């Protein structure tokens, strides 16, 4: 993060060598791969970054790990961007988002959307760039320091925002950025991937006649939310990790088109006569 790539590479390689030798791979251990990919990419070694991605992809497939895979794909996207290959960067960042949407990675969403706004600007698609910049800005508000605190990336992001604003003009830029900021996360991802926006689901005032695709586990979680349990309490009740419980809650909110737990409570009140799936 301070820009000392030779020292970073030496330290990360030591850690990677030890884990390869022990073959004990926890999620934090696997996260060494995307770190090393970024270091390789920023050092201009895209070949090394791609080799690391292949190794990480195989490891994640064997272990069923998707969160680390999403970062491995995203960081190779950064490597290609640093190498000046916008199309490869676009492909990798979109692939990263496709995986991230299944693990609810709020920080990862922001990183990918921010970088994809640079790609759009570099391609001369200034309105799309402004929409994505507005969406990314909104995402960063709830996270804090943008782009993981990497000063060079933050500075580059500022330059692309300034360039986009200057090209479009203040009024046009603000209109596009505000549109992006007002889009729900799933709509932003659909916009990035060229998919049809998700169909809005009726809110509490318009209770649907059946559950909108909730799985059995999500129904259980929604029931516990309606009973007033916190994420920690839900995790304890269902004997799952708190992060897993939080992921279920996020998916329930997304499927119902809600933003607050209280909306789930109100919606569940109207479902009491319906059998669980």
């Amino acid at each position: 993060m301070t820009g000392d790539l030779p020292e970073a590479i030496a330290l990360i390689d030591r850690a990677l060598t030890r884990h390869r030798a022990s073959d004990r791979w926890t999620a934090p251990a696997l996260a060494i791969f995307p770190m090393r990919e970024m270091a390789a990419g920023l050092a201009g070694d895209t070949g090394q970054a791609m080799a690391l991605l292949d190794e990480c992809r195989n490891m994640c497939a064997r272990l069923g790990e998707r969160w680390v895979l999403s970062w491995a794909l995203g960081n190779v996207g950064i490597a290609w961007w640093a190498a000046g290959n916008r199309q490869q960067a676009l492909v990798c960042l979109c692939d990263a988002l496709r995986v991230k949407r299944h693990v609810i990675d709020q920080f990862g969403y922001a990183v990918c959307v921010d970088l994809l706004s640079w790609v759009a600007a570099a391609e001369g698609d200034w309105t799309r760039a402004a929409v994505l910049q507005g969406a990314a800005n909104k995402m960063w508000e709830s996270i804090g320091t943008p782009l993981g605190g990497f000063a060079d990336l933050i500075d580059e992001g500022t330059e692309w925002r300034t360039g986009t604003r200057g090209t479009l003009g203040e009024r046009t830029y603000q209109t596009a950025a505000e549109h992006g900021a007002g889009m729900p996360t799933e709509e932003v991802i659909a916009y990035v991937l060229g998919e049809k926006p998700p169909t809005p689901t009726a809110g509490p005032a318009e209770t649907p006649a059946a559950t909108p695709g909730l799985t059995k586990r999500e129904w259980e979680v929604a029931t516990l939310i309606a009973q007033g349990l916190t994420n920690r309490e839900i995790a304890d009740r269902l004997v799952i990790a708190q992060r897993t419980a939080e992921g279920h809650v996020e998916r329930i909110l997304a499927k119902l088109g809600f933003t607050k737990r209280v909306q789930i409570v109100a919606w569940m009140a109207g479902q009491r006569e319906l059998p669980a799936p």
Side-chain angles (χ1 to χ4, degrees), residues 136-160:
N137 289 343
K138 184 66 176 179
M139 291 174 177
W140 288 125
E141 284 180 8
S142 62
I143 295 171
T145 304
L147 295 169
F150 284 85
D152 289 345
L153 294 180
I154 294 172
D155 289 344
E156 188 167 2
T158 300
E159 290 176 8
W160 283 111

Side-chain angles (χ1 to χ4, degrees), residues 49-198:
M50 289 301 294
L52 288 161
L53 173 60
D54 287 341
E55 184 179 356
C56 183
R57 196 196 304 269
N58 291 334
M59 196 79 68
C60 288
R62 175 163 67 88
L63 299 173
E65 170 57 42
R66 292 189 294 177
W67 179 76
V68 169
L69 175 60
S70 74
W71 279 101
L73 289 164
N75 283 4
V76 167
I78 293 175
W80 283 117
W81 173 262
N85 192 323
R86 297 194 295 266
Q87 285 307 307
Q88 284 291 346
L90 174 66
V91 169
C92 290
L93 290 166
C94 286
D95 284 347
L97 267 182
R98 288 188 182 94
V99 179
K100 287 181 183 297
R101 77 192 321 180
H102 296 294
V103 294
I104 316 296
D105 185 358
Q106 302 292 352
F107 178 60
Y109 295 156
V111 171
C112 289
V113 172
D114 208 333
L115 289 164
L116 284 164
S117 77
W118 307 359
V119 175
E123 292 289 321
D125 195 343
W126 298 104
T127 299
R128 181 180 179 83
V131 170
L132 294 178
Q133 286 166 16
N137 289 343
K138 184 66 176 179
M139 291 174 177
W140 288 125
E141 284 180 8
S142 62
I143 295 171
T145 304
L147 295 169
F150 284 85
D152 289 345
L153 294 180
I154 294 172
D155 289 344
E156 188 167 2
T158 300
E159 290 176 8
W160 283 111
R161 281 167 170 74
T162 300
T164 305
R165 188 188 299 269
T167 301
L168 290 176
E170 185 64 27
R171 184 173 181 178
T172 302
Y173 178 84
Q174 284 297 335
T175 298
E178 287 172 7
H179 175 65
M183 295 165 67
T185 299
E186 269 301 320
E187 189 174 333
V188 174
I189 295 174
Y191 178 79
V192 166
L193 300 178
E195 300 173 349
K196 183 178 179 180

Side-chain angles (χ1 to χ4, degrees), residues 201 208 210-214 255-256 267 271:
T201 308
T211 55
L214 295 189
K255 286 183 177 181
L256 297 175
W267 183 82
Q271 302 298 303

